[in-house]
Amino acid sequence: MLRRPTGFSFWLAVNTLVAGTLGTAAHADDMAKAADPNGWPMYSHGYDNTRYSPLKQINTGNVNKLKLAYSLQLGSLRTNEASPIVIGATMYVSTSWGPKYVYALDARNGAPKWTYEPEIADDTLQYACCDVGSRGVAYADGKIFVGRLDGKLSAVDAATGKELWTTTVVDYKQGSVITSPPMVVKNMVITGFGGGEYGARGSLQAYDVNTGKEVWKTWTVPGPGEANNDTWKGDSWQHGGAALWLVGSYDPKTNTVLWGTSNPGPWNSAVRSTGDMNYGKLTNLYSASTVAFDADTGKIKWWVQATPEDAWDYDGVNELVLADLAISGKKTPVYMKADRNGFFYVVNRENGKIVSAEKYVPTNWASAIDVATGKPAGDPEKRPGPNHPVEGVCPNLIGGKNWQPMSFNPETGLVYIPSNNVCMDWSVSDVTYRKGVFFLGGEFPPHPGPGGYMGELVAWDPVAQKKVWGVKMDLPFNGGTLTTAGGLTFWGDLHGVFHAYNAKTGAELWKIALGSGIGAGPISYSVDGKQYVAVVVGRTAGIPAFLGDVGKQMTAATPEGGALFVFTE
Amino acid sequence: MKLRVINYAGLAAALVVAAAAPAALQPLRLCADPANLPFSSNAPEAVDNGAPGLYVEIGRAVAEALGRPMETVWSLSYFGKRNIRTTLLAGRCDLAVGLPADSDFMGPRVIFTRPILKLGYALVVPKKAHAASIDALKGKRVAVQFASPPQSLLATRSDITTVTTMDPEEAMRRLAASEVDAAFIWGPSAGYINHSALRDEFNVIPVDAPHMQWQAAIGFSDKQPALRDEVDAVLARLAPRIRELTIKYSIAMGPPLVQADASPMPIKVAANVAGAMLAQGEAVKGDATGGKEIFNSTCAHCHGPDAVVADRKINLRRLKNKYGDQMDEVFFTTVTDGRPTKGMPPWKDVFKHEDFVNILAYLKTVQDDK
């Protein structure tokens, strides 16, 4: 059952739907190109976020012959996190710092076509909590859509690089920046933004692809009079976080947009809830959740909250990977999510009912998740608070998995998760400082989790909820994954080494050192009958600042950098 | 052997440099936030009114006591510790005034002088109200800052309604508009806003409770222990001056309150506070024709005649497009202090404020729409 390449048929379905609902022939043709299985039309290949390429020219038998096809210096150092997209024979890739540049190039040889350089104010780094990454751009209707560090969203002519419109999504001076590509559904380009810790109130916003005018906006922290506003204490909903700073998914069958939300704010859970295990209804919805929105109206259909009254910075933003799995022998439409909180969720994506939720990394803040209610069986000893420091809570604040994307291969039935194994102590700091004001914050020194390693590429069976194979790493926060019909899984690490594994067995088949730490997810595409594998390198600079000595090891592992590498046979 | 020769050469070069520019004459570089009154500001209004901020003036007093000129290195401190890492600890400046004098603050990499100020949170209430304790706030609406200790403290009190604000300006605005009965916010900001924008309508009462008051000092990189000792040695005699400055900026110094006989010096509302406090700021007006003349005789050298230039990065016709509502602020900051790393010199000693206003008025007539 699982051996059928469902990724491909899924794409055909999407293509049909889009072509059927949207007007002009030219437009339909554009979308057909976007849905081309030879391409890599969006951040994680498709609306399903599988990062699965149906191409198999490069496979287990010949991957050891991969050679460099071309390389491009991105002209922007540090925290390069982009997955390029490939439409027809053109690749589009964004750089860090805003992005500083978006390049269009010939996907066969790297020949430059155009460069877009948005006007980004000089002071944006001041407001970006977690450095200046850009994870990529989106394509539709002959346009490239760029979410920007300065809280803006721009549309650029895909043929010329000329800016068509720019709209302000959020005021970056409230600590809210955009670092992820938007998602285009029908005639709308949909985006969130970051800033969960800094007083933002999260929202998902849809704009008209042609004009940049707002179509709908849905707060992910309900206001007075809205359902679930009473899950917040006092006026804490006004700055409740639940920001949507990573990427969304879309299920055309039910016309549903699925997106994960960040942790709530502020850190002191007594301000927004009870500060202990007796939170009752004060769960702080819809923070640390997966939220299902009606694509046409933005109306919230249902939600699954993974971490009620979060106290650990367990963002719920991680991407939702959509697939049809054989659950107890029955084909079930699910989303899969490797949550920051250490549990791997398999949830029916048509009704929000949890199928299963099991630990995929060493996790001790909760022993289990009640699948009927979604409620975690929390350990009160591991829940930090103002008068309650804790030791050895796992995972630490970067989570069992962070933003680096996982992939799902329908042929092996496995999910390839770039996981972390880091634990932390947690206490209130003596004093911290912002703009001349002193206040208290959290202190969370990290240490390696059980076993002493800090990262692991985990090949996970989502039906059996168990690990099939793994590759342990000395450092956390390694790169995203790509998996292909050629039986391969590609993965880059913080030492700057790019690997190919046998997707079924975990045997390493090929590797090459690329010179700077890798966080970005690789991609694969085919032009003129030739398959390529591409990856962006440029080690992270933001997260290590939160991780003390572990962070020093992460930045010492490689120089900073920014380059695209493309391989072929 | 070769290595040793190189070392000697390096040492000799260092000695030459030292002889050419004696340390005593090198400017003392102060790290400061350009938009953070009452602590520091480079806004022309603040500078022209002789009130560039408490920390800038303390920096000047220290530099003067050491017989050195002072230079200010401006950088925003929205993320305080990160800012210190990238300025003070990166060697871009020598000292930062007003850091928490706590060895746990950023570990051994930041070293301190003796404490020079006591800073903390304060209760702000109408003059006629008597708030002697937190209990007096029962049944009241109290503005607090997001993620601050007062917010955490009042979160444990079900009989007090907190109203969350993002900064002291918002809290004081809501207090002045009677949307709240009291504010429990960062004291130095409260005192300053109360005096400069609200005619001392309110009492600012420092609150002495756990996690509410701190000692603040001058911080240095741990690579500068000698400079720290030098500064430490002059602080005792600067104490009266620092006290005067706290009164000038209406900073309540913790119990006991500022003495009744020491009335604050009158200072005008500074731009950023005025902007935050008043519903509508007055637009900058000026003489565009005069501005164009100055522009074309001086600025055009790099920025092109009539501000027409190929390089987008220095194309001033894109200022509005690039900075939007912040255009004026960015303009004044840049012309005043320059962007030395990008080739733009400071012009504050060349032109008068009025000239800058005229140049800006001219530039506003030539902004690109797209």
Side-chain angles (χ1 to χ4, degrees):
Chain A
M1 202 49 167
L2 284 170
R3 297 189 65 84
R4 202 164 58 83
T6 52
F8 182 56
S9 50
F10 181 82
W11 258 108
L12 288 179
V14 172
N15 181 21
T16 311
L17 173 114
V18 173
T21 48
L22 289 177
T24 67
H27 186 257
D29 183 53
D30 277 335
M31 290 309 288
K33 249 193 262 176
D36 180 356
N38 289 318
W40 192 273
M42 53 181 97
Y43 175 73
S44 284
H45 190 262
Y47 283 134
D48 54 5
N49 270 315
T50 55
R51 304 189 80 83
Y52 169 75
S53 170
L55 301 170
K56 52 175 81 169
Q57 193 176 69
I58 297 169
N59 53 53
T60 52
N62 62 11
V63 69
N64 62 351
K65 297 194 184 73
L66 278 188
K67 292 188 305 282
L68 186 68
Y70 60 92
S71 175
L72 180 78
Q73 293 302 315
L74 296 177
S76 177
L77 297 177
R78 82 190 228 183
T79 315
N80 277 295
E81 299 181 341
S83 286
I85 59 172
V86 177
I87 310 293
T90 306
M91 176 187 286
Y92 304 90
V93 61
S94 63
T95 75
S96 57
W97 286 104
K100 188 174 178 189
Y101 306 109
V102 178
Y103 301 104
L105 46 149
D106 189 316
R108 291 163 292 202
N109 52 34
K113 293 188 170 180
W114 51 254
T115 302
Y116 168 59
E117 185 180 356
E119 305 261 20
I120 306 277
D122 295 339
D123 61 354
T124 45
L125 173 61
Q126 289 295 325
Y127 302 97
C129 79
C130 309
D131 219 54
V132 292
S134 163
R135 299 189 184 90
V137 297
Y139 170 87
D141 196 23
K143 300 179 185 72
I144 294 293
F145 299 96
V146 187
R148 300 166 34 163
L149 211 55
D150 58 3
K152 292 177 180 164
L153 175 68
S154 292
V156 174
D157 187 318
T160 63
K162 189 174 172 292
E163 192 173 292
L164 299 171
W165 53 256
T166 292
T167 192
T168 300
V169 175
V170 66
D171 177 9
Y172 70 93
K173 294 199 173 185
Q174 69 170 41
S176 287
V177 296
I178 301 177
T179 55
S180 293
M183 179 169 74
V184 182
V185 173
K186 302 181 182 177
N187 64 331
M188 294 169 292
V189 49
I190 304 174
T191 186
F193 51 81
E197 288 88 333
Y198 304 105
R201 180 185 176 202
S203 64
L204 192 65
Q205 292 163 229
Y207 298 89
D208 184 285
V209 289
N210 292 314
T211 62
K213 290 219 168 67
E214 187 177 296
V215 179
W216 51 256
K217 171 175 181 168
T218 301
W219 296 107
T220 44
V221 179
E226 291 183 276
N228 295 314
N229 175 258
D230 59 357
T231 61
W232 296 85
K233 185 168 146 183
D235 74 345
S236 60
W237 60 271
Q238 288 180 1
H239 303 284
L244 306 96
W245 59 263
L246 204 55
V247 295
S249 306
Y250 175 62
D251 185 346
K253 186 182 159 211
T254 56
N255 195 33
T256 304
V257 168
L258 295 160
W259 220 293
T261 60
S262 81
N263 56 306
W267 63 266
N268 181 354
S269 53
V271 170
R272 50 188 157 79
S273 181
T274 59
D276 59 23
M277 298 285 290
N278 306 312
Y279 48 79
K281 71 176 181 183
L282 293 174
T283 53
N284 303 148
L285 291 172
Y286 306 95
S287 69
S289 301
T290 299
V291 183
F293 303 85
D294 179 276
D296 294 333
T297 62
K299 203 165 165 277
I300 294 175
K301 294 180 165 181
W302 48 261
W303 70 93
V304 176
Q305 188 179 46
T307 314
E309 196 210 14
D310 167 65
W312 306 264
D313 195 14
Y314 291 154
D315 269 56
V317 293
N318 285 353
E319 74 281 4
L320 297 322
V321 174
L322 313 187
D324 295 343
L325 297 183
I327 305 292
S328 311
K330 191 168 164 241
K331 186 175 151 189
T332 309
V334 304
Y335 77 73
M336 296 177 276
K337 181 181 195 179
D339 201 280
R340 287 256 285 257
N341 75 8
F343 288 86
F344 190 95
Y345 288 77
V346 177
V347 176
N348 185 315
R349 68 173 181 270
E350 293 184 354
N351 57 25
K353 288 205 167 21
I354 300 174
V355 172
S356 59
E358 297 292 334
K359 296 174 183 178
Y360 67 98
V361 290
T363 297
N364 63 14
W365 70 276
S367 56
I369 303 293
D370 181 332
V371 293
T373 63
K375 197 175 169 184
D379 177 352
E381 291 306 307
K382 300 293 185 193
R383 174 177 275 277
N387 300 307
H388 191 242
V390 300
E391 287 186 355
V393 58
C394 317
N396 84 328
L397 79 171
I398 66 169
K401 172 187 162 300
N402 205 277
W403 66 266
Q404 292 89 342
M406 63 186 191
S407 58
F408 171 68
N409 190 322
E411 309 217 19
T412 62
L414 301 179
V415 181
Y416 304 95
I417 313 168
S419 76
N420 304 307
N421 179 33
V422 188
C423 304
M424 64 179 169
D425 303 332
W426 197 101
S427 62
V428 176
S429 67
D430 285 342
V431 61
T432 182
Y433 168 89
R434 188 159 102 190
K435 265 200 112 182
V437 179
F438 300 174
F439 57 100
L440 306 173
E443 277 187 340
F444 22 74
H447 39 86
Y453 63 98
M454 287 198 277
E456 184 177 18
L457 170 60
V458 171
W460 189 258
D461 179 340
V463 177
Q465 287 277 25
K466 67 170 178 37
K467 183 167 95 176
V468 175
W469 56 262
V471 180
K472 290 186 167 66
M473 297 296 296
D474 58 341
L475 295 174
F477 221 67
N478 298 289
T481 65
L482 155 73
T483 189
T484 73
L488 297 168
T489 296
F490 290 89
W491 184 50
D493 66 36
L494 256 199
H495 293 280
V497 179
F498 187 44
H499 311 257
Y501 298 94
N502 181 314
K504 196 181 287 179
T505 66
E508 185 177 72
L509 302 176
W510 175 77
K511 67 175 169 179
I512 185 167
L514 297 179
S516 186
I518 301 172
I523 68 159
S524 186
Y525 62 94
S526 177
V527 183
D528 297 344
K530 193 168 182 141
Q531 187 185 352
Y532 301 83
V533 174
V535 68
V536 159
V537 312
R539 71 129 152 84
T540 179
I543 292 304
F546 294 93
L547 296 179
D549 287 337
V550 172
K552 281 184 196 163
Q553 290 173 49
M554 292 164 68
T555 48
T558 64
E560 59 184 356
L564 164 78
F565 289 93
V566 182
F567 300 92
T568 189
E569 275 184 274
Chain B
M1 191 58 198
K2 197 177 174 192
L3 190 67
R4 181 167 292 189
V5 171
I6 288 165
N7 275 345
Y8 279 132
L11 185 60
L15 288 171
V16 170
V17 170
L25 292 180
Q26 278 176 9
L28 189 65
R29 298 169 305 163
L30 174 77
C31 317
D33 187 315
N36 193 23
L37 285 173
F39 305 113
S40 55
S41 170
N42 67 354
E45 292 85 346
V47 176
D48 294 350
N49 290 338
L54 176 67
Y55 294 167
V56 175
E57 296 209 47
I58 290 175
R60 276 186 198 155
V62 167
E64 203 181 297
L66 297 184
R68 289 170 65 174
M70 191 188 82
E71 195 177 283
T72 315
V73 175
W74 299 109
S75 64
L76 295 167
S77 55
Y78 186 84
F79 291 105
K81 288 185 179 179
R82 181 205 285 173
N83 178 51
I84 289 165
R85 267 197 304 276
T86 56
T87 56
L88 190 72
L89 298 184
R92 285 177 53 206
C93 49
D94 302 312
L95 72 168
V97 180
L99 299 186
D102 187 315
S103 58
D104 279 349
F105 171 52
M106 288 184 71
R109 292 188 65 198
V110 177
I111 57 175
F112 301 97
T113 60
R114 73 186 71 187
I116 57 168
L117 298 165
K118 188 174 181 188
L119 301 177
Y121 289 89
L123 210 50
V124 191
V125 291
K127 278 261 160 72
K128 55 185 184 299
H130 294 283
S133 69
I134 302 294
D135 280 333
L137 299 175
K138 263 188 204 169
K140 302 269 197 267
R141 301 162 301 172
V142 183
V144 294
Q145 285 166 256
F146 179 77
S148 67
Q151 188 193 38
S152 291
L153 180 72
L154 297 190
T156 62
R157 300 281 305 238
S158 57
D159 52 352
I160 298 170
T161 303
T162 53
V163 174
T164 308
T165 63
M166 289 311 291
D167 50 45
E169 285 79 8
E170 186 191 346
M172 291 298 283
R173 187 171 56 231
R174 299 185 80 159
L175 180 61
S178 302
E179 290 172 29
V180 293
D181 306 305
F184 190 178
I185 58 177
W186 189 237
S189 307
Y192 176 75
I193 297 165
N194 185 38
H195 181 62
S196 64
L198 299 173
R199 300 172 304 280
D200 290 310
E201 265 179 57
F202 300 93
N203 279 332
V204 179
I205 308 158
V207 172
D208 212 0
H211 308 309
M212 291 293 166
Q213 299 292 328
W214 284 274
Q215 308 274 5
I218 303 177
F220 304 81
S221 153
D222 64 348
K223 297 190 182 98
Q224 299 251 49
L227 180 62
R228 189 268 310 270
D229 294 347
E230 248 183 281
V231 173
D232 216 15
V234 300
L235 282 179
R237 82 183 139 90
L238 291 180
R241 175 73 188 133
I242 292 173
R243 204 155 37 244
E244 276 169 36
L245 288 170
T246 59
I247 295 165
K248 172 176 173 181
Y249 289 94
S250 307
I251 287 167
M253 288 290 290
L257 291 174
V258 179
Q259 295 86 332
D261 57 346
S263 56
M265 283 166 59
I267 49 176
K268 288 183 192 165
V269 182
N272 64 338
V273 173
M277 297 303 298
L278 304 174
Q280 286 188 327
E282 208 180 310
V284 177
K285 294 200 181 78
D287 167 17
T289 315
K292 180 176 180 180
E293 212 165 285
I294 303 173
F295 186 91
N296 278 338
S297 61
T298 304
C299 318
H301 185 66
C302 295
H303 293 285
D306 294 346
V308 175
V309 71
D311 184 354
R312 239 160 56 132
K313 287 209 177 300
I314 56 169
N315 181 353
L316 302 185
R317 286 176 176 253
R318 299 187 65 81
L319 279 179
K320 181 77 186 168
N321 189 293
K322 192 166 175 182
Y323 296 105
D325 295 343
Q326 259 85 50
M327 175 176 168
D328 292 12
E329 189 185 323
V330 172
F331 172 83
F332 283 115
T333 305
T334 311
V335 294
T336 307
D337 301 302
R339 285 187 173 162
T341 55
K342 295 178 181 174
M344 169 82 176
W347 294 97
K348 60 174 179 282
D349 300 329
V350 180
F351 293 112
K352 295 194 294 284
H353 181 63
E354 190 191 328
D355 297 329
F356 290 145
V357 170
N358 292 343
I359 296 170
L360 179 60
Y362 165 63
L363 288 175
K364 284 187 173 171
T365 66
V366 297
Q367 291 303 296
D368 287 345
D369 285 343
K370 186 73 195 169

